[in-house]
Amino acid sequence: MEVKVLPRAPVRLLPKRRRARVVASASVALSIALLLLPVCLRLDGKPHADWQQFLGRFHPLAVHIPIGLLVLLPLLELLGRNRPSLREAAEFVLALAFAGCLGSVTLGYLLAYGSGEAGPGVTRHMWGGISLSLCVLLCVLARPAWRVGYVLWAYPALLVCAMLVLIWTADQGGSLTHGSNYLTQYMPPTLKHVLSLGRPNPQPVAGSFYERHINPIFDSNCVACHGQSKVSGNLRLDSYEALMAGGKDGPVIVSGQPEKSILFERITLPPDHKQFMPAEGKPPLKPEEIAWIKAWILQGASPTAANLAGVHVRDDSPEMSLQPVGDYSALMNEIRQMQKGQGAKLVPVSSKPSDGLILNTVDVAASFGDAQLAGFSKFAPYIVEAELGRTALSDASFSTLGTFTHLRALHLEGTAVTGNGIQKLASLSQLTYLNLSNTRMTKAAAAQLDSMKALRHVYLYDTPAQPAPAVDAAQPIARNPQ
Amino acid sequence: MKQHPLCTDTERESGVMGLPIPAGLKREWAALETRRQFLGRSGKVLGWAAAASLLGARGLIGDAHAAGLAPEPSPADLKLPQFAPKAKRAIYLFMSGGPPQMDLLDYKPNLAALYDKDIPDSVRGNQQLTGMTAGQARFPIAPSHWSFQRYGKTGTWVSDLLPYTGRMVDDLTIIKSTNTEAINHEPAIMLMNTGNMNAGKPCLGAWLSYGLGSMNDNLPTFMVLQTKTNPKENNQPVSSRLWSSGFLSSEYAGVGLRSGGDPVLYLSDPDGVDREVRRKMLDAVEQINRQTLAEMGDPETNARIAQYEMAFRMQTSVPELADLSKEPQSTWDLYGPDAKEPGTFAYNCLLARRMAERGVRFTQIYKRGWDVHGDVTGVLPLLAQETDRGCFALVTDLKRRGLLDDTLVIWAGEFGRTVYSQGGLTKDNYGRDHHPRCFTTWMAGGGVRTGITYGETDDYSYNVVRDPVTVRDLNATILHCLGIDHNKLTYKFQGLDQKLTGPVPASVVPGLLA
């Protein structure tokens, strides 16, 4: 008997026209539901059920599924011109991406609603997500027509739209989690200039205690969640006005009364307390930062006062940004050979090559003279620290050392230098530490160091410039500051 | 326990044969031992025979390399320090015995009013007591016998026992909330030094020399200085367990300098042997050792070869290190007359400064006698007088010579002492028992935020009420100052990635860092 295998007809549960109608009405219903979601369940800035947050926190994870699929889609469509099987796959990917969008929007909404997040950043991200879902839905609807050759412009246009919305929404989301300057923080200044990214935040009175010490604390610890893009608890700490305006529980600063100020209360709770700030395992404020905030509130929380009574801030000039040293991998073989032998060595500061090298001469100090130092000239730009204590170096070496452009610390203690020619070190812009103790440094030479502004730690102990003081072994003086 | 070959500790490990047990038992043990060894070896032989036939000659050679002759994991592979460190070296002033925090730095003015009152049970909680006070019917509060004054710009309260410490409070990071889990000396001191109460783990100094290596090829990376004991004090034993390298190669163990006579025993050449002869002898010994290494593949042989060479170089470097004749008068003005006498705490502090100058990575000074169970008013002034000026001189000397910027100084005991009196309490005298829940330590120098007091204890100096710092956290913080992430300085042993801070989570204390 011969069995005739018929080409299988596609199984349809519903007649074709009716099916299209169902799809259309379902899409419209879904769109309306999505659009109404923020209206029905308004984001009121109050935290809700814990389970919502639990599920919601999977949003940052789940959101990458539709993103990945959507980015893949144009690729499949384009390459599908030559390989039709890819176009087949595209349909499936699109459907999956749409499902992913719906899931992500739901989780995202649970996160925002559950944790009480509100603010323009969150709202923008939310509308971005909803618009993206609608765009993808339209893509789903438009694609079958495009496949069979009708309305050829609609689907590609919608796809481009979806991509643009995707980029914008993702950027909004990234700003929420990482802060709005995450991408631009380490951008080269020239590029920043070209893109003309400025700081829109209003600046309080320049030079005030608030501006110098209080605002920077909030800036580095708080504004990721209490700033322009994410406003947890409806509180912003990125400007003086916003700080004093307070949040959903009212003012957070009661001037003159730190113990009644919610902000102060939150930062001084035990770190494992639910309401402790900074939240979510971020490092607590440092003790002196807390002390400054307390003193500042106590003395009126003023935006203008330049100093506070009883508060001494160690006014360190801001740490100079350390210049990384160049790439010395070509010299690495030589450096390793040196490390194996007995003699002067170059040792990396850390596992990061750009931290530079330390010149270590302690093993051969007695025989390490000017000529030996000159031998290290080819390593000069990579040496950040020169340990030349108790070596046989003389003043003649200052000109060699002047070429160590990245030198940060220079040890010359116990050598015979007198400081003649020390002005040659003035060209070393990175040099902050200079140890000349127990040398023959003269007063005149020491005076030349004053012009080197970068130098912050100069040691002249036991030299003609600073003879060793007799230590007063009598009873110590008790100072009683209060 | 792996001792440094140059270590001069006299304590010996007792084998089974040395135990006071019947001779019959020993014979039985010896028989078992040999039978075990025989069976163990024959098992291996069979295994090797099988492996040889399976793999052929080449495979076997490859295996032999993997099994025995492979080098130890090299410290260079650790890529340390992981980040640019603030401190290059450290000096650890170890106050063995447990200094009483409330008589020195943890000022509790309210206790005076509570003299002879019992400490409330709510404060004491379920704290385990030592056998020395567990039987006491009462726990009467003993306020400190000494008054306190404020010092420095920070206005820190310091006991009248420590006038010199008072002068440098602005350079110190005082931690009042250090706490430990151990209540007796041996486990507590092991925990402080090795991160584990049981012996056998490498100590902080061994980890540092393993991880960071030497800065000076002529001196050991890790040196230990013991202070001469004062018979009037209650001296707890201190042994080379505390500077052992545990499972690390013994070249990373601490080298102890003796407190009197030759700093290192047998270091000077005997009469009639000059340096030339010694060199020849060492070359011959090295050849023999290389043969042993080729035969047995024990990495400890490598350590031994390296140590013979180190000892040869130390023959010149140690006398130079210990020669104080060139120290200027200002040194003696600062350290005081004690520093001229070898073995005193002040002398050791001076040596520690000289070692810091010469690139010794880690120096540990042990001062015993802080175990003041009784006669606090009689003994504590002695201890304070012996150590106070040395600590001050060391920190001040490092500071004026520009070394404090990259040297971390740590002052700590293994635990604190109780606020209540052990034994009788009178107006003039009292005793204090061990107390693990809080004790005061301090640090100074590179990497730590100076001029602060960190953590707080309750009114009885019994419990920590703010910012507790466990021993693990303290060690993690010390490693951090030296550029090491404590979670990444590890060594595979017994199936674990062993580390100084152990398997229990520890964290660097950000509040202590500069």
Side-chain angles (χ1 to χ4, degrees), chain A residues 288 345 385 390 433 435 459, chain B residues 88 217 357 402 405 449:
Chain A
E288 77 266 17
K345 306 187 162 78
E385 189 164 347
R390 284 171 297 284
Y433 174 104
N435 195 339
Y459 296 94
Chain B
K88 285 213 248 4
D217 287 339
E357 285 175 327
D405 294 85
R449 180 191 308 250

Side-chain angles (χ1 to χ4, degrees), chain A residues 176-232:
Chain A
L176 289 180
T177 50
H178 298 299
S180 57
N181 61 348
Y182 184 71
L183 288 177
T184 54
Q185 192 173 7
Y186 295 104
M187 189 184 275
T190 41
L191 188 58
K192 246 184 205 175
H193 186 73
V194 171
L195 298 174
S196 64
L197 291 162
R199 277 185 58 117
N201 291 356
Q203 295 296 316
V205 180
S208 65
F209 190 85
Y210 169 79
E211 210 238 332
R212 279 183 299 136
H213 300 299
I214 303 295
N215 196 37
I217 301 176
F218 296 148
D219 242 8
S220 48
N221 295 287
C222 316
V223 294
C225 304
H226 297 288
Q228 196 181 14
S229 41
K230 182 173 169 187
V231 194
S232 293

Side-chain angles (χ1 to χ4, degrees), chain B residues 139-443:
Chain B
F139 298 99
I141 289 170
S144 180
H145 182 76
W146 293 272
S147 49
F148 280 62
Q149 288 183 61
R150 307 190 77 162
Y151 291 90
K153 285 185 194 138
T154 49
T156 310
W157 291 97
V158 179
S159 161
D160 286 353
L161 283 170
L162 304 175
Y164 283 99
T165 303
R167 297 167 74 160
M168 60 169 175
V169 279
D170 291 347
D171 292 322
L172 302 186
T173 309
I174 298 173
I175 311 166
K176 291 190 175 172
S177 53
T178 338
N179 59 85
T180 179
E181 291 145 34
I183 195 165
N184 273 319
H185 296 287
E186 188 60 22
I189 204 166
M190 289 306 294
L191 184 65
M192 284 298 281
N193 280 287
T194 71
N196 195 304
M197 288 192 224
N198 298 310
K201 300 282 190 290
C203 64
L204 173 63
W207 278 113
L208 288 177
S209 26
Y210 170 65
L212 298 176
S214 169
M215 293 189 285
N216 182 344
D217 287 339
N218 301 324
L219 283 173
T221 317
F222 169 22
M223 298 194 86
V224 180
L225 302 171
Q226 290 216 53
T227 306
K228 268 187 192 159
T229 53
N230 180 344
K232 289 181 195 142
E233 293 160 6
N234 184 14
N235 295 298
Q236 290 298 332
V238 155
S239 75
S240 63
R241 275 193 290 281
L242 302 176
W243 47 94
S244 143
S245 63
F247 40 74
L248 298 177
S249 165
S250 60
E251 64 194 289
Y252 306 119
V255 173
L257 289 196
R258 289 168 11 112
S259 49
D262 269 358
V264 180
L265 275 182
Y266 316 123
L267 194 60
S268 31
D269 292 323
D271 290 341
V273 176
D274 62 10
R275 227 167 138 65
E276 197 59 32
V277 174
R278 171 67 61 134
R279 183 67 259 173
K280 278 184 184 160
M281 184 209 82
L282 286 178
D283 288 344
V285 170
E286 182 179 341
Q287 275 187 354
I288 300 170
N289 276 334
R290 295 246 171 253
Q291 280 173 19
T292 315
L293 180 68
E295 278 168 33
M296 315 294 271
D298 182 355
E300 275 298 293
T301 315
N302 261 333
R304 186 53 63 117
I305 294 170
Q307 288 315 317
Y308 273 118
E309 290 303 315
M310 168 66 80
F312 183 69
R313 294 194 295 273
M314 279 170 70
Q315 287 189 316
T316 52
S317 63
V318 169
E320 192 272 335
L321 170 75
D323 173 19
L324 306 182
S325 59
K326 291 201 187 86
E327 284 291 334
Q329 184 53 37
S330 59
T331 299
W332 307 113
D333 291 344
L334 180 63
Y335 286 82
D338 281 1
K340 292 206 165 166
E341 189 191 332
T344 61
F345 186 75
Y347 173 88
N348 284 343
C349 286
L350 178 54
L351 272 197
R353 190 266 285 161
R354 290 176 66 88
M355 290 183 195
E357 285 175 327
R358 282 157 184 77
V360 172
R361 185 72 75 176
F362 187 63
T363 308
Q364 202 165 18
I365 301 180
Y366 280 92
K367 165 65 194 149
R368 290 150 74 180
W370 287 95
D371 196 22
V372 287
H373 285 284
D375 190 20
V376 171
T377 55
V379 178
L380 206 50
L382 295 178
L383 288 156
Q385 190 266 326
E386 282 163 349
T387 57
D388 186 32
R389 188 162 179 177
C391 295
F392 166 74
L394 177 61
V395 172
T396 310
D397 205 12
L398 290 173
K399 191 179 176 186
R400 69 187 184 183
R401 287 171 188 273
L403 290 163
L404 199 59
D405 294 85
D406 52 11
T407 307
L408 179 67
V409 183
I410 308 136
W411 181 100
E414 67 266 40
F415 42 54
R417 305 205 81 85
T418 56
V419 68
Y420 54 80
S421 179
Q422 172 179 357
L425 168 67
T426 65
K427 276 283 178 201
D428 297 326
N429 219 335
Y430 50 90
R432 294 198 191 278
D433 197 5
H434 309 165
H435 183 62
R437 285 199 192 178
C438 66
F439 60 106
T440 303
T441 55
W442 58 253
M443 301 203 267

Side-chain angles (χ1 to χ4, degrees), chain A residues 74-313:
Chain A
L75 204 64
L76 291 176
E77 300 287 16
L78 284 178
L79 295 180
R81 281 193 201 174
N82 300 326
R83 295 179 59 183
S85 60
L86 291 180
R87 285 241 160 122
E88 298 279 328
E91 184 171 355
F92 175 68
V93 169
L94 178 60
L96 214 57
F98 178 59
C101 279
L102 289 184
S104 297
V105 166
T106 315
L107 287 176
Y109 201 78
L110 280 176
L111 179 62
Y113 186 73
S115 64
E117 306 282 10
V122 174
T123 319
R124 277 201 298 270
H125 182 56
M126 175 188 77
W127 284 118
I130 291 175
S131 325
L132 179 62
S133 305
L134 294 181
C135 273
V136 177
L137 175 62
L138 290 178
C139 286
V140 171
L141 296 177
R143 195 171 184 281
W146 174 75
R147 277 288 270 161
V148 292
Y150 292 117
V151 218
L152 279 176
W153 57 270
Y155 174 64
L158 281 167
L159 200 54
V160 169
C161 254
M163 286 298 126
L164 293 176
V165 176
L166 172 68
I167 291 168
W168 185 78
T169 311
D171 178 52
Q172 292 297 325
S175 301
L176 289 180
T177 50
H178 298 299
S180 57
N181 61 348
Y182 184 71
L183 288 177
T184 54
Q185 192 173 7
Y186 295 104
M187 189 184 275
T190 41
L191 188 58
K192 246 184 205 175
H193 186 73
V194 171
L195 298 174
S196 64
L197 291 162
R199 277 185 58 117
N201 291 356
Q203 295 296 316
V205 180
S208 65
F209 190 85
Y210 169 79
E211 210 238 332
R212 279 183 299 136
H213 300 299
I214 303 295
N215 196 37
I217 301 176
F218 296 148
D219 242 8
S220 48
N221 295 287
C222 316
V223 294
C225 304
H226 297 288
Q228 196 181 14
S229 41
K230 182 173 169 187
V231 194
S232 293
N234 209 14
L235 173 68
R236 281 176 63 164
L237 297 176
D238 52 349
S239 70
Y240 181 76
E241 294 75 24
L243 168 69
M244 298 311 282
K248 67 181 164 72
D249 294 330
V252 292
I253 302 279
V254 182
S255 114
Q257 293 172 303
E259 67 284 356
K260 286 195 182 158
S261 305
I262 299 175
L263 182 136
F264 186 73
E265 184 200 326
R266 293 294 193 89
I267 60 174
T268 50
L269 287 169
D272 49 355
H273 195 281
K274 206 177 159 191
Q275 295 189 311
F276 177 75
M277 287 288 156
E280 291 170 15
K282 295 195 182 77
L285 301 190
K286 293 170 188 153
E288 77 266 17
E289 291 175 336
I290 293 175
W292 294 343
I293 293 174
K294 183 176 183 179
W296 179 69
I297 299 175
L298 199 64
Q299 297 181 31
S302 152
T304 52
N307 283 301
L308 298 184
V311 178
H312 304 282
V313 180

